[in-house]
Amino acid sequence: MAGHHRALLRRAGILFACCGLAALSSPLPAQAATRAGEEQIIPVVGAGSAAEGSWFPLEDAFDDQPTLSPPTQERYLSTDGGRVVSLVGGRQAYIDFGPGFANLQITGTWTLWNQWGRTAQTPLTYWWSSTKDPLFNNDDVAETTPGFGFVTKLPPTNPSSDPLWHRDYTGTGLTPKRRYLIVSAASANTNGAVEFAFTGRVNAPEPRVVPAPAFGALTLIDEVNCGDPNDPHAFQQFPANISRIETVLGRPVRVLPNDVPGRKYFAYRLGYGKELAAGKAYVLSVEYPDDVPRTMIISNNGAEYTRAFHTGNTVGDALLPPYVNPNAESLELPQTGEFQTWQSLFHLHDRYPLIKRPRDKEFPRDQGPSDGFWVAIAQFRPEDGPLSRGAAAAKIRLYEAPASPAYYAQVRLPPAGLPQRHLFFREEMADGVINQDAGPYLGVSNRVSWYEYKARLMKFLGMNTFSKDLLEFGHNQGWDSTAHGGNNWVYQSRYPGLWGETLTMLERYDLNVLPYYEYAGSIGYAGLGNQKRALPLTRTDAYTHISWTEGTRADLTDPDTLADFKKMLDLTVVQYAGRKKFTGVWLRPRSSHLPIGFADATLARFAAEANGGTAITRAQLQADSALRQRYYTWWMGKRRAFIDSVTDYLRAKGVGNDVVTLFTSDATEAGRSHPVNGDAMTAENPAPWLALGKSVLSLDRALSESRQLNTLVQPRSTWGGWEWQHADPWSDPQNYVSDTKGALTYTFNHAYTVGRPDALNAFRSGAGLAMVRHYALNEDTMTENNDPLLGYFVTDTERAGPYTMLAEARAVAHGDPRFIGYLSSASFNRGFPEYVRAFNQAFLALPALPSQVVPNAASNGAVVVRAIPTPSSGTYLAVVNTGVRQVDDVTVTLPATGSVTDAATGAAVPVVNGKLTLSMYPAQLRAFRVGP
């Protein structure tokens, strides 16, 4: 009967095609499709030689598959089994488990043996790969499970002449680590094996959980088919002819190879002749294959912003940038095996450059809406992204967005009387677009309109607090210093009315305001900063070799410094307090601007306040480590006093009784590096990076050693006689635990920075936990042989899809911040806005009150539940999936009684026996309100 049944299946066309790189016409028999989760024959999608033109016909091992599990239930006649298995020495073949490989659990491997000519086979070698490449690549994973494989055991003699199935491997459920299993044979052998088979479970994938779309109906304006070599759009690439059209996931795409030296890009002009309009909102969309690890840079010159994203185990940022250490991290993130879409909202500028973007006036902004604009897909050098398989795009689309406020995210804040949370960003190398006089170099004619685009973007992303730098490296960024002396005190900006005009514009938007200051003392003809009242300990010239930060500095222990900064607050905050709600102020001195100082006057203050009136010298401080430590402790206390005094002044001046001062004691762009082994990258799987000769710290070790907390609270390492440890003082969060007026910000970005609750809790002040995401600028990483391929270049990078919010989600689970800020390299944006909006809406729906983790509240260990009790508005819950995979049917036991609503939407949520049942995508945050 079994043979007859199998013959019927064969006649039905279910088995392999017999030539070429084999692929099943229907890899899963009909009856198996209804047996999800049961033991069965595991289907494979294809098999064959891993090297094109190289003979290793592994498809012959899967050309007459059994239908029953275990296959010993099914009789094979001597004429069954298809062609014999040929194992070709020194070559590799592949077995393709298809895009749903992660849903498989292999419990057995089987070999069908003929009764004649059987001989023992030299063991085969196996590894998992995202491609059919015959070489073991850096992101491949060796399969070393004992007993796994085929032809490992010769079966006993069969009384009949029929072929016999024999089990090689027995396991509880091995999940493929990549889509393809590469098989390498050390020697040739046709030892009587005629068929291979896998048994196990095929878990039916749950419906994918996704957030609400970021956009409603959009009008398509233009579309580029990157996989069509004859696409009519204007096209450029560097180097010439570098990109390739390849078939990926069954579709043609344009790919930049990563096995060729140098930086690369391809670019298309979109919107030409499409009646585009300056100031209008559009959506740029890039469809890409999510098949293998990739890093992709997307440059949109219509709004002069660049964003990069990365997938799989790539690090995203350039691994070897020219100026800073990126603190690189590699995680083993799943990929969907499907095409996905990156998209971003932007407002088209009045004028913009071709492909090369100016920092100042290197390239004109001589293009306008009628010309369309260039979009480039780019990538770093191979050595900067060694595990990336190359940027790839199938389609680039341009849509017209609906008019505002139709695209704004609906944000439900906590009831009146409960404190709010805050989301904000600050941009570094961005305002060159408007920092020009009228003419061919001014990107947006009305400078305030450029900031209005930022306000609309914030509303779209669901952010609620507007921040702008008013001092950059100590210099005035658009406010009027006349009232306190003008240029004699603080050099005027070219546009002294800009800040006031921006606040007038912001009156139309329900956004809080948090101005940002890189304070270095006032910089004017007679400014305090020029006096350099803070001096290094071991020298008198400079703290560091960074010349452009050494020209001005202030001593925060000097009463004149506080008085100086108060005057700035008068002109930038106090006079506008009746017009906008200020959250407070945000200070972030750059290196050497508010250093630990050792001038004579500073030493005298220490002697009077903390040394019993006994004078000290710089020489004594150098020689006496105990004295030096007491000096540091005194200085840290003075810093807190300065921060608190700023808040006291704002409150006394009527700015608000709840304003706070945030202070970022981290002058770096990418975030501080560990003072001992800061050059080491972090990796969830160090193996591929060690193979490349990199210095690697495992993620587990980085967490066990509390790497990030130790980095932030220790003095910076220094060299060459410089004093970096004093130029950029470390954090002392223990002194702010009860401080309701200020908070030191906690630097985060990677998984190792948000994985330890004790590290985050250490930075919680009486005003709440304030966290700031530091992005590596990746500055000048697209310059090839002194040629800036895309002009002046900086970019932030983010993980793809739901993982774009992985760090923020884990931050809420492990620390529950009140403030989340972003230090962006240039114009801020996000490339997966549906996930960003969903997180932001849930985050802002939660009141900024103390919370506690509810132990064992969720049935899945990856899900963390935090309870936030309120005086009269019930109990709020923050529920976070901290994992990298979707979780389904998770039950959450409520820590309080009452009706439950989704705090972000107001919708009622069903409760059964005091429990919620949820399915959540990776890194998802849900907010609930329980009663009353």
Side-chain angles (χ1 to χ4, degrees), residues 637-652:
K638 299 295 285 187
R639 180 168 67 180
R640 175 182 163 171
F642 179 88
I643 292 169
D644 288 354
S645 294
V646 169
T647 300
D648 288 339
Y649 185 73
L650 294 174
R651 292 178 180 180

PDB file of all heavy atoms in Angstrom, residues 637-652:
ATOM      1  N   GLY A 637      29.979  67.917  43.781  1.00  0.00           N
ATOM      2  CA  GLY A 637      28.933  68.586  44.539  1.00  0.00           C
ATOM      3  C   GLY A 637      28.630  69.975  44.007  1.00  0.00           C
ATOM      4  O   GLY A 637      27.470  70.412  43.987  1.00  0.00           O
ATOM      5  N   LYS A 638      29.667  70.667  43.568  1.00  0.00           N
ATOM      6  CA  LYS A 638      29.459  71.992  42.973  1.00  0.00           C
ATOM      7  C   LYS A 638      28.704  71.896  41.645  1.00  0.00           C
ATOM      8  O   LYS A 638      27.914  72.788  41.309  1.00  0.00           O
ATOM      9  CB  LYS A 638      30.807  72.683  42.779  1.00  0.00           C
ATOM     10  CG  LYS A 638      31.593  72.931  44.061  1.00  0.00           C
ATOM     11  CD  LYS A 638      30.893  73.906  44.986  1.00  0.00           C
ATOM     12  CE  LYS A 638      31.011  75.331  44.512  1.00  0.00           C
ATOM     13  NZ  LYS A 638      30.463  76.293  45.500  1.00  0.00           N
ATOM     14  N   ARG A 639      28.946  70.833  40.914  1.00  0.00           N
ATOM     15  CA  ARG A 639      28.208  70.668  39.659  1.00  0.00           C
ATOM     16  C   ARG A 639      26.724  70.471  39.943  1.00  0.00           C
ATOM     17  O   ARG A 639      25.873  71.073  39.281  1.00  0.00           O
ATOM     18  CB  ARG A 639      28.755  69.488  38.847  1.00  0.00           C
ATOM     19  CG  ARG A 639      28.019  69.289  37.528  1.00  0.00           C
ATOM     20  CD  ARG A 639      28.719  68.320  36.601  1.00  0.00           C
ATOM     21  NE  ARG A 639      28.727  66.953  37.103  1.00  0.00           N
ATOM     22  CZ  ARG A 639      29.294  65.922  36.460  1.00  0.00           C
ATOM     23  NH1 ARG A 639      29.916  66.125  35.304  1.00  0.00           N
ATOM     24  NH2 ARG A 639      29.265  64.711  36.979  1.00  0.00           N
ATOM     25  N   ARG A 640      26.411  69.626  40.936  1.00  0.00           N
ATOM     26  CA  ARG A 640      24.994  69.460  41.260  1.00  0.00           C
ATOM     27  C   ARG A 640      24.401  70.781  41.724  1.00  0.00           C
ATOM     28  O   ARG A 640      23.265  71.130  41.354  1.00  0.00           O
ATOM     29  CB  ARG A 640      24.813  68.394  42.339  1.00  0.00           C
ATOM     30  CG  ARG A 640      23.354  68.319  42.757  1.00  0.00           C
ATOM     31  CD  ARG A 640      23.021  67.346  43.838  1.00  0.00           C
ATOM     32  NE  ARG A 640      21.717  67.675  44.392  1.00  0.00           N
ATOM     33  CZ  ARG A 640      21.042  66.928  45.238  1.00  0.00           C
ATOM     34  NH1 ARG A 640      21.548  65.782  45.664  1.00  0.00           N
ATOM     35  NH2 ARG A 640      19.859  67.311  45.693  1.00  0.00           N
ATOM     36  N   ALA A 641      25.135  71.535  42.522  1.00  0.00           N
ATOM     37  CA  ALA A 641      24.624  72.821  42.992  1.00  0.00           C
ATOM     38  C   ALA A 641      24.354  73.767  41.820  1.00  0.00           C
ATOM     39  O   ALA A 641      23.360  74.510  41.819  1.00  0.00           O
ATOM     40  CB  ALA A 641      25.613  73.446  43.972  1.00  0.00           C
ATOM     41  N   PHE A 642      25.221  73.734  40.819  1.00  0.00           N
ATOM     42  CA  PHE A 642      25.017  74.560  39.626  1.00  0.00           C
ATOM     43  C   PHE A 642      23.731  74.141  38.913  1.00  0.00           C
ATOM     44  O   PHE A 642      22.899  74.991  38.546  1.00  0.00           O
ATOM     45  CB  PHE A 642      26.223  74.415  38.700  1.00  0.00           C
ATOM     46  CG  PHE A 642      26.134  75.203  37.428  1.00  0.00           C
ATOM     47  CD1 PHE A 642      26.569  76.514  37.376  1.00  0.00           C
ATOM     48  CD2 PHE A 642      25.611  74.633  36.271  1.00  0.00           C
ATOM     49  CE1 PHE A 642      26.480  77.245  36.198  1.00  0.00           C
ATOM     50  CE2 PHE A 642      25.524  75.351  35.097  1.00  0.00           C
ATOM     51  CZ  PHE A 642      25.962  76.664  35.050  1.00  0.00           C
ATOM     52  N   ILE A 643      23.555  72.838  38.729  1.00  0.00           N
ATOM     53  CA  ILE A 643      22.367  72.333  38.039  1.00  0.00           C
ATOM     54  C   ILE A 643      21.101  72.707  38.811  1.00  0.00           C
ATOM     55  O   ILE A 643      20.120  73.201  38.224  1.00  0.00           O
ATOM     56  CB  ILE A 643      22.484  70.797  37.865  1.00  0.00           C
ATOM     57  CG1 ILE A 643      23.611  70.469  36.879  1.00  0.00           C
ATOM     58  CG2 ILE A 643      21.157  70.192  37.418  1.00  0.00           C
ATOM     59  CD1 ILE A 643      23.976  68.999  36.833  1.00  0.00           C
ATOM     60  N   ASP A 644      21.115  72.491  40.102  1.00  0.00           N
ATOM     61  CA  ASP A 644      19.940  72.811  40.907  1.00  0.00           C
ATOM     62  C   ASP A 644      19.654  74.306  40.918  1.00  0.00           C
ATOM     63  O   ASP A 644      18.488  74.737  40.931  1.00  0.00           O
ATOM     64  CB  ASP A 644      20.129  72.309  42.341  1.00  0.00           C
ATOM     65  CG  ASP A 644      20.045  70.790  42.445  1.00  0.00           C
ATOM     66  OD1 ASP A 644      19.730  70.150  41.429  1.00  0.00           O
ATOM     67  OD2 ASP A 644      20.303  70.260  43.542  1.00  0.00           O
ATOM     68  N   SER A 645      20.709  75.105  40.898  1.00  0.00           N
ATOM     69  CA  SER A 645      20.523  76.554  40.902  1.00  0.00           C
ATOM     70  C   SER A 645      19.871  77.033  39.610  1.00  0.00           C
ATOM     71  O   SER A 645      19.091  77.999  39.612  1.00  0.00           O
ATOM     72  CB  SER A 645      21.861  77.265  41.110  1.00  0.00           C
ATOM     73  OG  SER A 645      22.385  76.991  42.394  1.00  0.00           O
ATOM     74  N   VAL A 646      20.197  76.377  38.512  1.00  0.00           N
ATOM     75  CA  VAL A 646      19.548  76.714  37.238  1.00  0.00           C
ATOM     76  C   VAL A 646      18.048  76.468  37.343  1.00  0.00           C
ATOM     77  O   VAL A 646      17.225  77.306  36.956  1.00  0.00           O
ATOM     78  CB  VAL A 646      20.174  75.905  36.086  1.00  0.00           C
ATOM     79  CG1 VAL A 646      19.332  76.034  34.817  1.00  0.00           C
ATOM     80  CG2 VAL A 646      21.600  76.365  35.821  1.00  0.00           C
ATOM     81  N   THR A 647      17.681  75.299  37.894  1.00  0.00           N
ATOM     82  CA  THR A 647      16.264  74.990  38.047  1.00  0.00           C
ATOM     83  C   THR A 647      15.597  75.962  39.004  1.00  0.00           C
ATOM     84  O   THR A 647      14.481  76.453  38.743  1.00  0.00           O
ATOM     85  CB  THR A 647      16.094  73.543  38.545  1.00  0.00           C
ATOM     86  OG1 THR A 647      16.666  72.648  37.598  1.00  0.00           O
ATOM     87  CG2 THR A 647      14.627  73.199  38.741  1.00  0.00           C
ATOM     88  N   ASP A 648      16.248  76.252  40.127  1.00  0.00           N
ATOM     89  CA  ASP A 648      15.683  77.204  41.093  1.00  0.00           C
ATOM     90  C   ASP A 648      15.412  78.552  40.432  1.00  0.00           C
ATOM     91  O   ASP A 648      14.375  79.198  40.690  1.00  0.00           O
ATOM     92  CB  ASP A 648      16.650  77.397  42.266  1.00  0.00           C
ATOM     93  CG  ASP A 648      16.704  76.190  43.189  1.00  0.00           C
ATOM     94  OD1 ASP A 648      15.756  75.383  43.178  1.00  0.00           O
ATOM     95  OD2 ASP A 648      17.713  76.055  43.916  1.00  0.00           O
ATOM     96  N   TYR A 649      16.332  78.990  39.596  1.00  0.00           N
ATOM     97  CA  TYR A 649      16.176  80.291  38.945  1.00  0.00           C
ATOM     98  C   TYR A 649      14.964  80.284  38.005  1.00  0.00           C
ATOM     99  O   TYR A 649      14.149  81.224  38.004  1.00  0.00           O
ATOM    100  CB  TYR A 649      17.441  80.636  38.175  1.00  0.00           C
ATOM    101  CG  TYR A 649      17.425  82.019  37.574  1.00  0.00           C
ATOM    102  CD1 TYR A 649      17.567  83.144  38.368  1.00  0.00           C
ATOM    103  CD2 TYR A 649      17.273  82.195  36.195  1.00  0.00           C
ATOM    104  CE1 TYR A 649      17.550  84.423  37.823  1.00  0.00           C
ATOM    105  CE2 TYR A 649      17.263  83.460  35.635  1.00  0.00           C
ATOM    106  CZ  TYR A 649      17.397  84.569  36.453  1.00  0.00           C
ATOM    107  OH  TYR A 649      17.374  85.832  35.908  1.00  0.00           O
ATOM    108  N   LEU A 650      14.827  79.224  37.222  1.00  0.00           N
ATOM    109  CA  LEU A 650      13.698  79.138  36.294  1.00  0.00           C
ATOM    110  C   LEU A 650      12.373  79.096  37.046  1.00  0.00           C
ATOM    111  O   LEU A 650      11.391  79.746  36.652  1.00  0.00           O
ATOM    112  CB  LEU A 650      13.849  77.911  35.401  1.00  0.00           C
ATOM    113  CG  LEU A 650      15.034  77.919  34.430  1.00  0.00           C
ATOM    114  CD1 LEU A 650      15.152  76.581  33.714  1.00  0.00           C
ATOM    115  CD2 LEU A 650      14.889  79.049  33.409  1.00  0.00           C
ATOM    116  N   ARG A 651      12.334  78.334  38.118  1.00  0.00           N
ATOM    117  CA  ARG A 651      11.094  78.256  38.892  1.00  0.00           C
ATOM    118  C   ARG A 651      10.775  79.593  39.547  1.00  0.00           C
ATOM    119  O   ARG A 651       9.607  80.034  39.576  1.00  0.00           O
ATOM    120  CB  ARG A 651      11.214  77.146  39.941  1.00  0.00           C
ATOM    121  CG  ARG A 651      11.269  75.741  39.330  1.00  0.00           C
ATOM    122  CD  ARG A 651      11.433  74.660  40.394  1.00  0.00           C
ATOM    123  NE  ARG A 651      11.475  73.322  39.788  1.00  0.00           N
ATOM    124  CZ  ARG A 651      11.607  72.187  40.473  1.00  0.00           C
ATOM    125  NH1 ARG A 651      11.707  72.226  41.807  1.00  0.00           N
ATOM    126  NH2 ARG A 651      11.636  71.026  39.853  1.00  0.00           N
ATOM    127  N   ALA A 652      11.794  80.242  40.070  1.00  0.00           N
ATOM    128  CA  ALA A 652      11.577  81.537  40.720  1.00  0.00           C
ATOM    129  C   ALA A 652      11.103  82.597  39.735  1.00  0.00           C
ATOM    130  O   ALA A 652      10.366  83.523  40.108  1.00  0.00           O
ATOM    131  CB  ALA A 652      12.861  81.992  41.409  1.00  0.00           C
TER     132      ALA A 652
END
